[in-house]
Amino acid sequence: NAGVTQTPKFQVLKTGQSMTLQCAQDMNHEYMSWYRQDPGMGLRLIHYSVGAGITDQGEVPNGYNVSRSTTEDFPLRLLSAAPSQTSVYFCASSYGDRGPGANVLTFGAGSRLTVL
Amino acid sequence: SQQGEEDPQALSIQEGENATMNCSYKTSINNLQWYRQNSGRGLVHLILIRSNEREKHSGRLRVTLDTSKKSSSLLITASRAADTASYFCAQTTSYGKLTFGQGTILTVHP
């Protein structure tokens, strides 16, 4: 099992450029989410999805878009990158509220993004 | 704003000593979890305690939960250098949605 796979691992953008961070999971998890991690701030939830076709905003959604067309994939789009979006981004997934693994998140390895 | 606060922000101990980290939260929870993050890596789940439980053990880990005080603690007994990492508490407040604290950086010196 690959678990949660994030690509790319590192990316440098210029202000105003757009890009997509990819996230895929092979565990048939219903719930997927994106967090950003900044020094001294812990992890903050950007967007999450409770199933294919359903997405919702987290704590810091501005500047980011998501979609969930399949159970496996949950890409995060930056439409016009800003220096404030320099961060480490983590994708995570879980079974949601049901089952023995309910609510337990499996994290990807992270994507480090720098916006100049 | 974030749900939880962790204390201390950093903890430095010798191998063999016990490490205790505390977490406080603000609203009602379904369960509380602890995660570990090694430098430059993703978070790894350690233990989950449900809102109707008061204490849970897993190997050298002991977690307590006091819902009346809205607080939890993680105790790592007989620490090892390999336990050096950041530790985060996370609260589940609705369907699979977790809110994380800022974390405690634990350094265990050989």
Side-chain angles (χ1 to χ4, degrees), chain B residues 20-81:
Chain B
T20 300
M21 290 159 264
N22 303 296
C23 168
S24 61
Y25 56 92
K26 298 176 183 175
T27 62
S28 297
I29 59 172
N30 294 335
N31 59 59
L32 187 140
Q33 303 179 48
W34 287 88
Y35 287 79
R36 183 183 74 199
Q37 184 182 34
N38 290 93
S39 182
R41 310 289 291 272
L43 279 73
V44 175
H45 173 77
L46 292 175
I47 194 167
L48 179 151
I49 185 166
R50 303 192 185 285
S51 58
N52 61 355
E53 296 176 316
R54 292 297 168 258
E55 188 171 312
K56 200 161 184 181
H57 296 255
S58 177
R60 294 185 294 112
L61 305 181
R62 173 180 167 248
V63 169
T64 61
L65 179 65
D66 187 336
T67 53
S68 66
K69 295 181 179 178
K70 292 186 169 58
S71 67
S72 174
S73 67
L74 171 68
L75 168 67
I76 304 174
T77 59
S79 296
R80 305 166 182 167

Side-chain angles (χ1 to χ4, degrees), chain A residues 30-31 35 37 40-45 48 50 57 59 90 94-98 102-105 107-109, chain B residues 1-2 30-31 33 35 37 40-45 48 50 88 92 94-103:
Chain A
E30 289 184 338
Y31 178 87
Y35 290 86
Q37 184 176 31
M41 299 293 292
L43 279 84
R44 292 182 291 170
L45 183 63
Y48 65 101
V50 299
Q57 296 181 349
E59 183 185 357
F90 289 98
S94 80
Y95 286 110
D97 273 346
R98 293 179 291 278
N103 300 150
V104 172
L105 289 179
F107 279 82
Chain B
S1 63
Q2 287 184 281
N30 294 335
N31 59 59
Q33 303 179 48
Y35 287 79
Q37 184 182 34
R41 310 289 291 272
L43 279 73
V44 175
H45 173 77
L48 179 151
R50 303 192 185 285
F88 295 87
T92 307
S94 61
Y95 185 98
K97 187 177 166 185
L98 269 67
T99 305
F100 286 82
Q102 294 179 346

